Amino acid sequence: MNQVVIPIPVASIGRQRKRSQPKGRQVDPAALAEVRAVLGDMPRRRDLLIEHLHAINDRYGQLAVPHLAALAAELKLSQAEVYEVATFYHHFDVVRGDADGNIAPPPAVTVRVCEGIACELAGARDLLQRLPALLDADVRVVAAPCIGRCEKAPAALVGQNPVDHADPATIAQRVSARATRHDPEPWIGMNAYVQQGGYALLRALADGTLAAEDAIVAMEQAGLRGLGGAGFPAGRKWRIVRSEPGPRLMAVNIDEGEPGTFKDRVYLERDPHRFLEGMLIAARVVEIDAIYIYLRDEYAGCRALLTDALRELAEAPPCTGLPPISLRRGAGAYICGEESAMIESIEGKRGWPRLRPPYVAQVGLFGRPTLEHNFETLYWVRDILERGPGWFASQGRHGRKGLRSFSVSGRVKRPGVHLAPAGITVRELIDEYSGGMLDGHTFYGYLPGGASGGILPASLGDIPLDFDTLQPHGCFIGSAAVVVLSDHDRAVDVARNLMHFFRHESCGQCTPCRVGTAKASELIAAPKWDLDALADLSAVMRDASICGLGQAAPNPIDSVVKYFPHELQ
C-alpha cells in the first residue's frame, strides 16, 4: 500500500505561534508583594518551603492559590512542587477560589476535636456531633487524628490552644476568647538546670575529661534502645554513624503521632534542657555538623518552650563548638514519624518514606550520613552517663532490662506517663501505677503499642511489656502507648477506629497501603466480616508496603479475628 506523504513548506519548519502570555498560572503582583512581606528576611531556600507555607498560613488563615504561585516564583520552584507539598499536609488549608477567582475568607477559628481511640472512648464522637450547632457559623469544627493528649481525653484544639477534658461549654469559652496558643506549666530553665549539674557531661566531652569512645561503650552496656518504636540499640547507632565519612547530620524526631502516645510531650514540657544536653552529647560523640529538630505542629506550646530553651542555650553556651540547631515544624502528617519520611519533610518535601537501602545512617538528610533519634532516647543519655550503664541495665522485671516510659490511657483511674521497669505486665501497670480500673469497669483488653501494636485480650495480660516479647502474639510494644479497654468496649469498634486512622494517614505513595487501608476500612464496616478477603489483604499489605504504616495497619484487624472472634458472631 502506497503511503501518502504531505509535504511541509520549508519556511514553516520551526515556526511557532507566539503566545500572548506564558503558559500556566500567572503570578499576581499583589500576591507576590504579600508573600514577600510575610517572609521578610527568611532565607529563600528549598528546604524551608514548609516553614514558608506555615508563615503564610498563619498570617492569612489559609493558603490561597495566588499566594502559592507567588511563593513558587519567590523560591524559583515550579508551582506544581509547591502545590503538591501544600496539599500533602493536613494543617495547610489550600483554597482555590471560585470560577471568577474570588477567594473566600478563612473561618474565624478552627476547632479540631481529637477522634483518636482514647478520645473516642471518652466521648469524642458525641462531642463532634454536638459542637457545630453550639458554635457560631464562622467557626469550623473538624475531626482530627490523635493530638497527643490522650491522658486528658477527650481533647481538642481551638486554633493552637489545647482544651483538655473537653466539653461544649469549655470549647465555646475558648472560641470566644480566640486563644491561639497554649504554654505548658513552668518548666526547668537553663539556670536551674545548670545548678542541678546540667551540661557538666557536655563540658567534660568538650575538654576531653570524658572520651567519646567511653560514652559509646556506656550506651552500649546500658542497652538503651530507640524509644520511638523501632528499638535499635542507641550505642550501636552512634558507632555506625560515627564511622561514616563527614559531614554528618542529626535529625531528632518529636513527631509522636502514634495514637495513644504522649510521653515525649510530657517530658519536653518538664525538662527540655535534659533532652538538649543528651542531644548535644550525641552530636559531640558522633561529630555532627548540624542538628535538625522536627516537632509536630499540634505541640504549639512545646514549640514556644523549645524556642525559648534554644535561645537560652545560644545566649549562654556551656562549651564552644556547638553545632547549629534548626527547629522545624511539622504540618500534620502521621507518616512523618517514620524516619525517612521525616527527613523528606525537613528537606521541604512531601513526607514520603524512602526505599532502603541505603539507610539513613549512610544516606540521610541532604544526602549525608544522619544520626536519627527519638526525643526520649536522648532524654536518658545524661542519666545513663552520670549514673553508669549498670544503673539503667539493672532495672526491669521478668527477665527484662531497663526502664520504659508508658503512655497509659483508656479505662484507668490515673492515666498519664508512668516510668516503670521494662518487662512489667499490663496488669501490674494498671494496678501499681495507674490506680486500677475505673469504677464499674472490668479489664477486657489492651493495646500494648498504640494503634500499630495490635490488640490483646485480658487473658494475655501477664505478658512482659518490652521489645521482642509481644511478637509471638502478633503484636509489638512500639513507643509503649498502652490503651486499656474494659467490658464497656468492643475490640471490633477499636479496630474500626484504628483502620479509619490508617486510611486517613496513608501517604498514598504505595498501592498496597493506599488501597489496602481503604479496602480494609470498607470490609470491617460491614456487620459480617469477609475473613478470607481480610486475610488476603493483610498478607499483601505486610509483604508489599514500603514502610511500617502499611505493614502494621492490619494488626488491629488480625488481632480481633484471632483473640476476639466472639465479637464477630
Side-chain angles (χ1 to χ4, degrees), residues 232 236-245 247-249 286 339 343 354 356 358-365 367-372:
F232 192 87
R236 190 192 308 173
K237 183 180 287 190
W238 289 15
R239 193 176 294 281
I240 290 171
V241 179
R242 192 168 185 252
S243 68
E244 294 291 327
R248 306 173 198 88
L249 303 176
V286 182
E339 63 176 6
I343 283 173
R354 298 176 180 177
R356 286 166 285 188
Y359 296 97
V360 165
Q362 303 163 311
V363 182
L365 192 55
R368 301 307 311 163
T370 301
L371 178 66
E372 190 275 342

Side-chain angles (χ1 to χ4, degrees), residues 15-178:
R15 182 185 302 167
Q16 297 181 351
R17 183 174 58 188
K18 291 185 177 180
R19 297 180 179 273
S20 59
Q21 60 183 15
K23 292 174 65 177
R25 180 180 293 274
Q26 303 308 297
V27 176
D28 177 60
L32 182 60
E34 290 169 344
V35 165
R36 286 174 174 169
V38 170
L39 299 187
D41 58 0
M42 293 176 66
R44 273 43 167 187
R45 297 201 317 263
R46 174 66 174 82
D47 64 289
L48 291 174
L49 173 57
I50 293 173
E51 298 297 311
H52 296 330
L53 291 170
H54 271 304
I56 298 169
N57 200 72
D58 289 347
R59 169 63 181 81
Y60 292 101
Q62 59 189 13
L63 293 174
V65 168
H67 283 151
L68 295 180
L71 180 60
E74 189 70 0
L75 296 180
K76 296 181 173 56
L77 298 173
S78 71
Q79 294 183 25
E81 285 182 273
V82 174
Y83 187 81
E84 73 178 11
V85 172
T87 53
F88 179 85
Y89 295 93
H90 303 315
H91 291 185
F92 292 142
D93 297 318
V94 177
V95 293
R96 299 165 182 81
D98 59 21
D100 297 324
N102 298 314
I103 304 294
V109 65
T110 295
V111 177
R112 301 180 188 273
V113 177
C114 178
E115 61 175 357
I117 184 59
C119 287
E120 180 171 304
L121 295 179
R125 186 173 298 180
D126 178 66
L127 186 61
L128 270 167
Q129 293 173 347
R130 294 172 57 194
L131 268 180
L134 301 175
L135 300 176
D136 295 337
D138 63 344
V139 176
R140 178 175 58 176
V141 178
V142 298
C146 183
I147 62 174
R149 307 189 74 83
C150 317
E151 83 278 30
K152 301 172 182 178
L157 291 171
V158 176
Q160 294 182 339
N161 187 29
V163 182
D164 299 329
H165 305 296
D167 57 45
T170 307
I171 290 178
Q173 181 182 12
R174 294 289 179 88
V175 168
S176 298
R178 291 294 190 265

